[in-house]
Amino acid sequence: MVRAIVGGNWGDEGKGKITDMLGAQSDVVVRFQGGANAGHTIINEYGRAALHLLPSGVFNPHAVNVIGQGVALDLDKLFRELDDEVLSKGVPTPKLLISDRAHVLMPYHIQFDTLEEMRLADKAYGSTKSGIAPFYSDKVMKKGIQVCEIFHDDLLLEHLQEIAALKNAQLTDIYHIDQREPRSEAEKKLFSPIDPKEMFDYLVSFRDRLRPLVGDVASFLHQCIREGKQILLEGQLGSLKDTDNGIYPMVTSSSPLAGFACVGAGIPPYAISDVITVVKAYSSAVGAGAFVSEILDPVQAEELRRRGGDKGEYGATTGRPRRVGWFDAVATRYGCRIQGATEVALTKLDVLSYMKEIPVCTQYEANGEKTDDFPFTAVIDEAKPVLTTVPGWGCDISGVRKYEDLPQAARDYVEYVEKAIGVHISYVSVGAGRDE
């Protein structure tokens, strides 16, 4: 059985907790897109871990953890994450398989990401400066470095020399690094040209540790499907950050949709039998972009932000305060639709326990008209939320383990959300831990 866990909103829906829970029951857990630009926070018997590249199955000693060819693979961050977030906590060395076709995110991708945000100034996209957009640009322009190239010296060096020639021209002609006056060591590095031999040495430094982990992911997964193994596909970010279907241009540079797993992991479309779409009981988002249900009152927003998540609503990668808002039925219904959701996991219900009444965004109003549909970005930017108030339950529910033991008002809220989005809610989370 192949099932996918994906986000139905802007990311930050609490997917890490769900993937950790289901990853413990899976034979194979697969990351199929994205990079270290977003993370999953996981709390289990080993403590608290923030994973950005490693699949959440690393805490299951029986699971094979796969990094597919759709991932932006930052090798330095991958191995630091493995050492600091997994092995240092006493977790047994996980089984890890990295696609030989995966592309490597290089230091110059981070350099270009940072320089571009500087160039855009007040029109910047709010990038995490993890190199994601330059990485995927290079991949599409056929200027990427695949993992398999790391083991072929002549091919690798020649490729890096060709890339450096192009990149250095861009650094000079677009970002004018030759005219910059660095004020720190970090800026000195930022305003430096790319040295292909230095990049060669950087990649080769990972060779020995990488070699036993690299393989043919598509063949492995096809064999697992034939054997009836339990395969879990782990998505990053959420529907509204999809390049083609999201709030463009304030999107990510890969597709967080379950359908992209067929490309990013190399599995057939018919193999995916279940798409679990994770949504929050309220809304949150990091960075710029349309966010209709955002709470604009700073006191109200800070109260929800402080109570949210397991340590407040702050980005797992950047630490930036997340923008917060009421549950957005318009955006979530759309997000579930484009994911092809077969069921929904509703997270962070416990966070709303302090509220006597809970607003829910049920429609958008733009240009004097109300709509139930999620429009394109130019309209969303002008839209206002149409809010309906639902009674709160006003008590702590974090200790509840059965749905029927929730207060009636909490169950009413869940069922109200379920009706509004049109997809059955199979899981309700009332805390950050695996068993909550």
Side-chain angles (χ1 to χ4, degrees):
M1 177 182 182
V2 181
R3 53 186 173 181
I5 296 181
V6 287
N9 299 130
W10 298 264
D12 308 314
E13 300 96 347
K15 293 183 295 297
K17 184 252 184 73
I18 307 299
T19 54
D20 178 52
M21 178 183 72
L22 297 180
Q25 309 164 16
S26 301
D27 300 307
V28 183
V29 183
V30 187
R31 272 289 307 273
F32 60 86
Q33 50 81 220
N37 55 318
H40 290 166
T41 300
I42 290 173
I43 299 173
N44 55 27
E45 65 270 28
Y46 294 103
R48 184 178 187 273
L51 301 184
H52 301 83
L53 283 164
L54 289 169
S56 298
V58 291
F59 299 103
N60 175 358
H62 307 293
V64 177
N65 295 274
V66 174
I67 294 178
Q69 47 269 33
V71 171
L73 183 60
D74 185 324
L75 290 169
D76 179 56
K77 290 180 180 176
L78 173 73
F79 287 119
R80 280 197 282 120
E81 184 174 302
L82 179 61
D83 293 338
D84 297 345
E85 298 292 330
V86 180
L87 299 179
S88 70
K89 300 180 188 297
V91 181
T93 302
K95 300 172 185 176
L96 189 59
L97 176 63
I98 298 172
S99 173
D100 51 9
R101 289 176 168 85
H103 283 239
V104 181
L105 189 144
M106 298 292 289
Y108 53 75
H109 290 132
I110 298 171
Q111 179 185 14
F112 271 77
D113 202 356
T114 304
L115 288 168
E116 179 64 6
E117 288 287 283
M118 289 173 61
R119 187 188 72 84
L120 291 170
D122 61 347
K123 295 183 179 179
Y125 297 115
S127 168
T128 60
K129 300 183 182 68
S130 302
I132 301 300
F135 165 87
Y136 281 108
S137 296
D138 277 0
K139 188 174 183 179
V140 174
M141 290 179 67
K142 297 171 281 293
K143 302 298 180 187
I145 299 290
Q146 289 184 298
V147 166
C148 55
E149 294 181 61
I150 296 175
F151 307 101
H152 300 276
D153 287 359
D154 292 343
L155 173 65
L156 178 61
L157 184 57
E158 180 182 356
H159 199 175
L160 285 167
Q161 287 169 339
E162 294 172 356
I163 290 170
L166 172 64
K167 296 291 183 187
N168 285 333
Q170 293 172 333
L171 286 170
T172 301
D173 296 345
I174 299 173
Y175 299 111
H176 310 295
I177 63 166
D178 54 331
Q179 301 172 28
R180 302 268 193 168
E181 290 293 335
R183 295 166 294 180
S184 64
E185 283 300 312
E187 284 196 352
K188 185 177 179 181
K189 188 174 181 180
L190 181 63
F191 302 147
S192 294
I194 296 166
D195 181 344
K197 181 58 167 65
E198 182 182 333
M199 292 298 99
F200 175 85
D201 292 340
Y202 168 81
L203 289 172
V204 169
S205 71
F206 298 105
R207 186 181 282 171
D208 290 343
R209 197 171 184 187
L210 188 61
R211 191 187 300 273
L213 307 177
V214 175
D216 184 341
V217 161
S219 294
F220 171 75
L221 292 177
H222 277 254
Q223 182 62 32
C224 290
I225 291 169
R226 284 195 293 271
E227 294 174 0
K229 296 285 181 68
Q230 295 290 323
I231 300 172
L232 186 65
L233 304 169
E234 180 178 357
Q236 179 216 48
L237 294 170
S239 306
L240 305 180
K241 291 293 186 178
D242 180 66
T243 312
D244 293 299
N245 298 283
I247 52 171
Y248 190 88
M250 301 301 183
V251 293
T252 192
S253 300
S254 65
S255 176
L257 301 185
F260 185 76
C262 303
V263 178
I267 61 173
Y270 61 77
I272 303 175
S273 57
D274 190 14
V275 178
I276 303 169
T277 302
V278 184
V279 305
K280 241 177 198 167
Y282 54 96
S283 299
S284 71
V286 169
F291 189 17
V292 176
S293 70
E294 182 172 12
I295 300 172
L296 301 179
D297 182 306
V299 176
Q300 276 190 316
E302 184 54 33
E303 179 75 1
L304 181 54
R305 184 181 299 112
R306 181 179 63 81
R307 292 173 178 271
D310 67 294
K311 286 191 174 182
E313 286 293 349
Y314 299 91
T317 298
T318 64
R320 287 185 293 182
R322 293 175 182 146
R323 299 157 66 196
V324 293
W326 308 122
F327 183 84
D328 187 332
V330 178
T332 304
R333 186 165 53 245
Y334 174 78
C336 289
R337 184 186 304 152
I338 62 172
Q339 287 287 12
T342 55
E343 54 184 321
V344 161
L346 183 70
T347 64
K348 314 292 185 186
L349 183 66
D350 56 301
V351 172
L352 299 177
S353 294
Y354 73 100
M355 299 188 67
K356 293 181 180 179
E357 293 184 324
I358 305 169
V360 176
C361 175
T362 55
Q363 291 181 304
Y364 292 170
E365 184 172 355
N367 301 319
E369 296 184 358
K370 293 180 180 179
T371 181
D372 297 319
D373 296 321
F374 191 74
F376 58 88
T377 306
V379 175
I380 301 173
D381 286 337
E382 301 298 323
K384 305 295 182 186
V386 177
L387 298 175
T388 298
T389 301
V390 179
W393 44 97
C395 63
D396 180 20
I397 58 172
S398 60
V400 177
R401 296 295 176 269
K402 294 181 180 179
Y403 181 73
E404 57 267 28
D405 292 338
L406 285 171
Q408 183 62 51
R411 282 181 279 149
D412 289 345
Y413 182 81
V414 172
E415 288 155 25
Y416 183 89
V417 167
E418 181 179 83
K419 184 177 180 181
I421 63 178
V423 184
H424 176 59
I425 295 175
S426 302
Y427 303 89
V428 177
S429 168
V430 294
R434 182 187 286 175
D435 65 337
E436 297 178 306

